[in-house]
Amino acid sequence: MLSNSSKYAIKAVLFLAIHSNRSKKVMAKDISEPINVPQAYLAKLLQPLVKENIVSSVRGPKGGFYMDDENLEKTVIDIIFVIDSEEKFSSCMLSLDKCNEENPCPLHNILVASRNDIFQQLKEKTIRELAHEVALGNAFLPL
């Protein structure tokens, strides 16, 4: 359901949520190794997240990426939609172009309720809440 790009973006945002703030910025090279994502690829993923105000950044010698209070209130679905778009999230599990409510694939009706539930949870869960769970040790993320 999630592309590798969305997974990498979520990990990068959580890394920033835990390790950065306005006065402590982090460079892409310092994020890439702990989350196991190539630096150039990570830098490309962070650009649209900055543009959509999910991540903040400052250029220059003391620059880098960071999360502020506004960024931390964004949701997981915000990240996914920036990276993959809404259509990707709601696409057919069998990758059939014409699958929809009126013309369901064999898995459509089985998965639609679960998908809607997952979508709702991702829409409600903020970056701050996820980072807090990791910081408390209630969720695992190698950072």
Side-chain angles (χ1 to χ4, degrees):
M1 187 179 304
L2 296 179
S3 70
N4 282 336
S5 294
S6 280
K7 293 175 195 176
Y8 296 158
I10 292 167
K11 290 193 313 184
V13 168
L14 288 174
F15 182 94
L16 288 168
I18 293 167
H19 297 288
S20 73
N21 57 47
R22 281 187 190 274
S23 60
K24 184 182 177 192
K25 295 161 186 71
V26 181
M27 302 296 292
K29 65 181 177 138
D30 299 321
I31 303 168
S32 66
E33 187 176 331
I35 67 169
N36 197 28
V37 176
Q39 181 181 339
Y41 191 60
L42 178 63
K44 286 185 180 188
L45 289 174
L46 289 169
Q47 290 172 1
L49 295 173
V50 168
K51 183 178 178 189
E52 295 299 323
N53 199 33
I54 293 171
V55 170
S56 293
S57 72
V58 173
R59 294 180 187 254
K62 294 189 179 185
F65 298 96
Y66 67 97
M67 301 292 286
D68 63 20
D69 285 335
E70 185 179 340
N71 302 137
L72 291 169
E73 292 308 314
K74 300 292 184 173
T75 65
V76 179
I77 206 70
D78 293 329
I79 300 168
I80 295 167
F81 283 0
V82 167
I83 301 300
D84 283 334
S85 81
E86 188 171 350
E87 293 79 34
K88 173 92 172 180
F89 186 81
S90 61
S91 65
C92 175
M93 295 296 269
L94 294 178
S95 300
L96 301 175
D97 290 336
K98 297 182 182 187
C99 175
N100 57 43
E101 293 294 321
E102 293 80 36
N103 189 38
C105 76
L107 295 178
H108 185 90
N109 292 326
I110 296 169
L111 299 173
V112 72
S114 297
R115 181 183 294 205
N116 290 342
D117 183 48
I118 291 168
F119 176 81
Q120 192 60 37
Q121 289 185 48
L122 293 173
K123 187 177 171 187
E124 293 171 2
K125 189 62 72 174
T126 66
I127 296 165
R128 183 187 311 277
E129 291 169 328
L130 282 183
H132 186 68
E133 290 298 311
V134 171
L136 289 176
N138 295 336
F140 166 73
L141 188 63
L143 302 175

